[in-house]
Amino acid sequence: MEGHSTYQPKSGAAKWLERRLPVIGLMYSSFVTYPTPRNLNYWWTFGAILTFVLVAQIVTGIVLAMHYLSPGSMAFDSIEAIMRDVNYGWLLRYLHSNGASLFFFAVYIHMFRGMYYGSYKEPREVLWILGVLILLLMIATAFMGYVLPWGQMSFWAATVITNLFTAIPLVGGAITQWLWGGFAVDSATLNRFYSLHYLLPFMIAGVVVLHVWALHIVGQNNPLGIDVKSKKDTVAFTPYATIKDMFATALFLILLAWLVFYVPNYMGHPDNYIPADPLKTPAHIVPEWYFLPFYAILRAIPNKLIGVIALFGSIAVLFFLPWLDTSRVRSAVFRPIYRQFFWIFVLVCIGLGYLGSQPPQGAYVIIARILTAYYFLHFLVILPVLGLIERPKRQPPSITEAVLAKSGSAEPAAAEAAS
Amino acid sequence: MPEQGRGWLDRGRILTTTDTAETAEPTRRDFLYIATGAAAAVGVVFTAWPIIDQMNPDKAALALAQVEVDVSALEPGMSLTVKWRGKPVFIRNRTEEEINAAKAVPVADLPDPVARNANLAADAPATDANRAADGKEAWLIQIGICTHLGCVPLGQQGNYGGWFCPCHGSQYDTAGRIRQGPAPENLHIPVYAFESDTKLRIG
Amino acid sequence: MRELAGTMTGKIAGFLLAGAVVAGLAFSAAAQDGGKGGDAGEQTHDQAWEFPLKEPPLLSWSFAGIFGNYDQAQLQRGFQVYREVCSNCHSLKYIAFRNLAEPGGPGFSDAEVKALAAEYQITAGPNDQGDMFQRPGLPSDHFPSPFPNVEAAAAANGGAAPPDLSLMAKARAAERGPLWTVIDFFSQYQEAGPNYIHALLTGFGEQPPEGLVIPEGTYFNPYFLAGPSLKMPAPLSDGAVTYSDGSPQTIDQYARDVAAFLMWTAEPHLVARKRVGFQVGIFLIVFAGLMYLTKKRVWSEVAH
């Protein structure tokens, strides 16, 4: 919101509203005329994709909530009723469950984009921190959402994760009982998870508004990581970014459609089609795929309390990323050494994810410990040191010049007068 | 503010091209945009439909939309109330007096002259024949919900020997027709059929 | 990554990875964790058994693939197998009689469904006296359980209640390893459940390997996911069910048919799902194509 919008209301009704609550002008300046760097690549479309998926999850969630019954004795059956009897219930359920998976898929890509191009660096620290906050809320929401079907995995994942709180010294047991509403995970736990699962997405939406606000104050980063120097470096958000985002969203929807219609249970676990049984633990308790790296970190540490601290620490460390990375250069495009460590880090995360899905035995344990140590080393040692000793490549003076150089100055450079 | 040329599309341009050719021939570009916009609109509609349709009664509710009742135990003068689609349905085997009392009333005297029978045309008059079961004039089957504000009337009470609604005093006669009180319509008659002399299917 | 080896980067990376390895090994040493968990398939000392002992053979199913469809005749045969064999112990609680007449299923007519339902006695009530009573089934009723409650089911079956079968085809899958897991996403493999059911039903009668202890009162099956043996004896035998359409009356055929039927009970909307999926897929591909052309057109005069 860099000053008043340039929106000129045309109709009488628009003028009337604009004088009292300038929402149209706000939307206009934020999403129509808003200057966007012209050199953004497709990794920048994931913000729009995420917004779309958030809305989709909220809409499908609200309609599912019209049919879901949260008492423990009814939850599993109510979801089967949705799948079998509710008109298009199967579609709405599969959209919601697979949408959640793709929500995390998109958010991890969005975050890796930020890490690669230095989008967390000055002046975007608050933007990044808001993003990590959104991630935390997403994790809580997804965890509670997975409990709702009240299958074996739902129940036992809830048991394992809520039991983590018993690791807290002195008050851990009391806190865990308070969370449970009883002496074990049961209907009381399920009901409050339902209530919070309905609430949290709206809090996510609120933080997303702050996130976009913070973004619009400082403007987008771009693949070169250099600041926008003039209006020439930018294009109007509509139609340029809008159309590009819609195209990327269409591709994303193809992926979602493939999941929903052809492999709807691929991301899930068969044990969750078994009703919850407090007396029988599944052979391997695994969370949904998007939690596997964190699960691997938790299990890698043999001490219960330190394992829990490492689990929360693996996300907490993200909050400090803007200050841990000491480099003056934002984008990995100009940081050849950092680039390699970035890809190693991506592989480490994928490796941790795989290890989280395997039983904690034998070689898996040792490798998980190595990768866990490396995960923290990346943030706490590699990034700070690298920024100080790396010699970055020379950055172009402006976005416009870089773009023109790339296109081989096929266009007459003199015609800049048009803007 | 670079607002000459093609308006909104200009906002991104730093380099002009000669666009005389473009303005003379907008059709191909416009067709693409129109096609894309139309496709997007179609997508939105097809996506919206399941979200709306899921609120319609689901298959389990529709399956309970038919109820079969064994009426063999109902002697003349006896009534039975069953639940159908969440509502009470009065099934009555009427006595001779009740039938004759209902037949004696001229339709023109009735506050609601229409039969309100889902098995007949919407404008069928409220004669006793149109209210009672076809070929079984003793049998009266009606939805036991007062047409005023939805209370369940009490049977064989009131000034007309039919039904009396205690909420606001509506009075129905022995054919379930409103005679007095604030109710605007006769008690509604659902779709039903006698599968046999003892088996009644409602819905 | 080529630069990684000989340069400053390589030295830094090597140092740090070595540090990570040392830290990791230190953790391991401190924990003295040998890594043998309490896996379901473990033998006490020498041999570690992993279950299932054998992977189920991959059969071809009519409902597999993008254009998958249920074979109505197969579903009807499978239903017959369920009725005559399985329903003596296993409930099918999520299936109502009316489901048998729905599109995309076994294709019974409304009249057949009504007659079938009436053959069953359903507990209903309470009546005006306050008692529960039995009445003939209606299409809206669900299949009754052979036992009044879980405890009775367990008591009648050696302490293990036979599980409900409605979702069995989605509730069981043998692990396929990471490579197959990736391939399965693209090949659209969702038939692990029916493959498992078929394998389990045909897998009785094999001899257990040397040294594998089979507890008393259980029956060895190499395909069983949760251990060496299960409480259910082989339920099928050749000729046990008389098919009226001339299909082979073999254990293998019965197993295929009932597995297909159970896939339908687990996913009754599979046919509609794949059909709508195809239409949505075509639409999205066309729409993405249009969006791509639009994007290219909009951006064509702008350097980027």
Side-chain angles (χ1 to χ4, degrees):
Chain A
M1 274 67 107
E2 315 78 1
H4 223 56
S5 122
T6 56
Y7 171 63
Q8 297 300 331
K10 302 279 184 341
S11 70
K15 287 200 188 89
W16 183 92
L17 183 61
E18 200 62 12
R19 188 166 155 247
R20 288 155 178 76
L21 185 69
V23 272
I24 310 179
L26 177 63
M27 291 297 114
Y28 188 78
S29 64
S30 302
F31 299 111
V32 178
T33 57
Y34 173 72
T36 315
R38 60 172 63 243
N39 63 332
L40 299 183
N41 59 32
Y42 277 96
W43 299 115
W44 262 262
T45 57
F46 279 85
I49 289 173
L50 284 165
T51 309
F52 178 88
V53 178
L54 176 64
V55 170
Q57 287 299 97
I58 289 179
V59 168
T60 52
I62 289 175
V63 299
L64 285 170
M66 294 184 181
H67 305 276
Y68 175 72
L69 300 170
S70 66
S73 55
M74 303 168 93
F76 192 92
D77 292 351
S78 73
I79 292 197
E80 280 308 306
I82 288 171
M83 294 291 288
R84 293 162 191 278
D85 291 330
V86 172
N87 300 322
Y88 296 102
W90 57 269
L91 175 62
L92 296 165
R93 194 275 178 105
Y94 280 147
L95 275 172
H96 198 73
S97 59
N98 288 292
S101 271
L102 286 190
F103 202 8
F104 276 91
F105 177 66
V107 97
Y108 287 148
I109 291 179
H110 188 71
M111 292 173 71
F112 278 127
R113 180 279 311 258
M115 292 177 68
Y116 188 84
Y117 292 109
S119 307
Y120 51 83
K121 290 172 142 324
E122 186 270 338
R124 297 182 181 88
E125 302 95 323
V126 172
L127 174 66
W128 172 262
I129 287 173
L130 288 169
V132 181
L133 199 52
I134 293 172
L135 176 70
L136 269 179
L137 288 171
M138 279 174 65
I139 287 175
T141 308
F143 164 67
M144 292 189 292
Y146 192 66
V147 177
L148 300 185
W150 212 231
Q152 274 287 69
M153 272 313 169
S154 304
F155 180 90
W156 289 99
T159 300
V160 166
I161 298 301
T162 48
N163 264 309
L164 290 181
F165 289 89
T166 59
I168 302 172
L170 293 177
V171 294
I175 291 181
T176 310
Q177 254 186 43
W178 173 77
L179 278 174
W180 285 336
F183 304 107
V185 170
D186 201 352
S187 192
T189 324
L190 177 58
N191 279 308
R192 61 195 55 185
F193 278 7
Y194 182 44
S195 168
L196 295 174
H197 181 75
Y198 201 112
L199 166 70
L200 249 42
F202 296 100
M203 295 179 62
I204 292 176
V207 183
V208 166
V209 168
L210 294 177
H211 189 68
V212 173
W213 182 14
L215 171 68
H216 281 208
I217 296 292
V218 298
Q220 260 87 343
N221 190 18
N222 67 84
L224 299 175
I226 55 184
D227 288 332
V228 164
K229 302 285 192 327
S230 70
K231 284 224 88 175
K232 290 210 298 271
D233 288 341
T234 65
V235 293
F237 190 83
T238 299
Y240 297 94
T242 318
I243 298 291
K244 194 169 176 182
D245 285 344
M246 282 174 65
F247 170 56
T249 306
L251 291 179
F252 190 81
L253 283 175
I254 293 177
L255 177 61
L256 179 64
W258 175 255
L259 274 171
V260 164
F261 291 104
Y262 290 109
V263 281
N265 294 298
Y266 177 81
M267 299 295 206
H269 198 287
D271 277 359
N272 227 28
Y273 279 107
I274 304 171
D277 184 350
L279 302 179
K280 192 156 152 204
T281 312
H284 301 298
I285 302 177
V286 264
E288 284 290 90
W289 70 270
Y290 38 82
F291 291 150
L292 290 175
F294 304 113
Y295 197 53
I297 291 174
L298 170 71
R299 294 190 308 184
I301 319 265
N303 178 293
K304 185 171 167 187
L305 177 59
I306 304 187
V308 172
I309 293 175
L311 171 68
F312 289 112
S314 63
I315 302 174
V317 76
L318 293 170
F319 280 106
F320 300 98
L321 179 59
W323 296 276
L324 289 170
D325 183 359
T326 53
S327 167
R328 299 285 175 83
V329 173
R330 285 199 190 105
S331 170
V333 170
F334 303 104
R335 301 180 62 190
I337 303 178
Y338 169 70
R339 202 184 344 193
Q340 294 170 57
F341 280 107
F342 171 82
W343 289 112
I344 295 174
F345 178 72
V346 171
L347 288 175
V348 165
C349 290
I350 295 174
L352 281 169
Y354 173 70
L355 291 167
S357 73
Q358 299 305 305
Q361 287 162 238
Y364 290 142
V365 178
I366 301 175
I367 303 176
R369 288 175 182 163
I370 294 173
L371 295 186
T372 300
Y374 187 87
Y375 179 96
F376 286 101
L377 270 169
H378 174 90
F379 288 104
L380 299 174
V381 175
I382 296 177
L383 287 187
V385 168
L386 208 48
L388 298 173
I389 63 173
E390 181 181 29
R391 208 168 45 120
K393 306 223 290 243
R394 206 174 54 82
Q395 300 172 87
S398 76
I399 294 176
T400 305
E401 287 173 63
V403 165
L404 286 176
K406 193 180 76 170
S407 64
S409 27
E411 312 289 334
E416 295 165 9
S419 51
Chain B
M1 300 247 277
E3 297 311 310
Q4 67 244 98
R6 297 207 307 279
W8 63 305
L9 275 180
D10 274 343
R11 253 179 264 107
R13 300 158 91 198
I14 55 167
L15 309 157
T16 52
T17 53
T18 49
D19 58 4
T20 47
E22 291 278 7
T23 46
E25 202 201 270
T27 47
R28 223 178 35 198
R29 157 178 49 101
D30 288 343
F31 175 72
L32 174 62
Y33 296 156
I34 292 170
T36 307
V42 163
V44 166
V45 168
F46 275 93
T47 307
W49 174 243
I51 293 167
I52 296 169
D53 192 32
Q54 57 84 23
M55 283 174 69
N56 275 324
D58 69 16
K59 296 219 212 63
L62 293 175
L64 296 174
Q66 262 186 18
V67 143
E68 279 188 9
V69 189
D70 180 1
V71 296
S72 54
L74 280 184
E75 302 291 319
M78 289 173 70
S79 293
L80 174 64
T81 302
V82 297
K83 198 160 88 163
W84 172 75
R85 293 190 178 175
K87 297 179 263 208
V89 173
F90 298 154
I91 304 169
R92 182 162 180 78
N93 187 349
R94 299 186 295 171
T95 60
E96 281 290 333
E97 298 88 21
E98 288 171 355
I99 301 170
N100 293 335
K103 283 183 178 170
V105 181
V107 175
D109 285 356
L110 296 172
D112 178 18
V114 176
R116 309 282 168 205
N117 186 333
N119 301 286
L120 304 174
D123 56 358
T127 60
D128 186 71
N130 284 346
R131 296 280 303 168
D134 197 28
K136 287 169 179 291
E137 61 174 13
W139 291 90
L140 183 62
I141 292 120
Q142 47 194 353
I143 298 176
I145 295 185
C146 182
T147 57
H148 180 226
L149 289 175
C151 295
V152 179
L154 305 168
Q156 288 64 63
Q157 289 186 40
N159 301 341
Y160 302 86
W163 283 264
F164 170 71
C165 185
C167 287
H168 309 99
S170 295
Q171 311 237 21
Y172 299 85
D173 65 14
T174 50
R177 300 171 295 198
I178 184 66
R179 301 294 292 275
Q180 195 183 322
E185 296 175 1
N186 303 327
L187 291 176
H188 293 183
I189 294 180
V191 169
Y192 70 90
F194 274 92
E195 308 221 311
S196 70
D197 279 343
T198 55
K199 213 185 297 210
L200 169 66
R201 188 196 73 235
I202 306 175
Chain C
M1 289 290 202
R2 291 190 298 280
E3 307 150 303
L4 202 49
T7 62
M8 179 65 148
T9 311
K11 294 192 183 72
I12 296 175
F15 172 73
L16 286 162
L17 270 172
V21 170
V22 168
L25 287 170
F27 272 133
S28 290
Q32 289 190 353
D33 189 341
K36 273 219 167 160
D39 209 77
E42 288 232 339
Q43 270 294 72
T44 41
H45 294 105
D46 301 331
Q47 256 175 316
W49 298 97
E50 280 196 8
F51 300 105
L53 292 173
K54 283 165 87 165
E55 298 270 319
L58 305 180
L59 305 180
S60 79
W61 300 98
S62 68
F63 45 83
I66 295 182
F67 302 106
N69 219 317
Y70 286 122
D71 176 352
Q72 275 195 351
Q74 180 172 46
L75 292 189
Q76 292 188 10
R77 294 196 303 271
F79 172 58
Q80 186 184 356
V81 174
Y82 167 74
R83 253 197 111 177
E84 296 183 20
V85 180
C86 321
S87 64
N88 293 303
C89 300
H90 290 278
S91 56
L92 202 68
K93 64 193 271 207
Y94 293 114
I95 301 297
F97 297 110
R98 59 178 168 85
N99 295 133
L100 295 166
E102 280 167 7
F108 288 93
S109 70
D110 286 336
E112 286 171 325
V113 162
K114 207 160 147 191
L116 173 75
E119 292 175 33
Y120 286 78
Q121 287 293 312
I122 307 291
T123 308
N127 59 19
D128 294 334
Q129 266 64 57
D131 301 319
M132 305 300 281
F133 58 92
Q134 300 278 89
R135 59 155 177 79
L138 293 167
S140 55
D141 290 319
H142 286 232
F143 275 87
S145 169
F147 302 103
N149 49 58
V150 169
E151 289 75 12
N157 288 283
D164 183 272
L165 291 181
S166 316
L167 288 166
M168 193 53 69
K170 288 201 290 193
R172 299 286 187 274
E175 289 250 339
R176 303 244 291 159
L179 178 63
W180 277 111
T181 305
V182 172
I183 295 175
D184 287 346
F185 177 78
F186 298 98
S187 72
Q188 213 221 129
Y189 178 65
Q190 290 270 282
E191 295 75 39
N195 284 333
Y196 172 72
I197 293 170
H198 169 268
L200 187 75
L201 291 174
T202 55
F204 290 99
E206 295 190 22
Q207 287 307 310
E210 277 296 316
L212 182 56
V213 177
I214 307 297
E216 197 58 40
T218 65
Y219 305 87
F220 172 72
N221 193 309
Y223 299 103
F224 187 52
L225 286 177
S229 57
L230 62 161
K231 284 244 163 71
M232 173 175 79
L236 298 171
S237 54
D238 289 332
V241 176
T242 307
Y243 282 149
S244 57
D245 67 351
S247 299
Q249 297 180 175
T250 58
I251 296 179
D252 179 76
Q253 189 63 43
Y254 297 149
R256 281 171 196 261
D257 295 342
V258 81
F261 173 71
L262 290 181
M263 187 69 193
W264 172 77
T265 63
E267 281 273 316
H269 297 287
L270 180 145
V271 173
R273 166 163 63 81
K274 295 194 179 194
R275 188 190 68 236
V276 173
F278 185 71
Q279 294 162 358
V280 169
I282 297 292
F283 169 81
L284 280 177
I285 290 172
V286 168
F287 180 64
L290 284 173
M291 280 308 310
Y292 177 69
L293 293 172
T294 304
K295 182 258 173 190
K296 277 233 114 35
R297 168 78 66 161
V298 163
W299 281 82
S300 58
E301 285 119 34
V302 174
H304 58 276

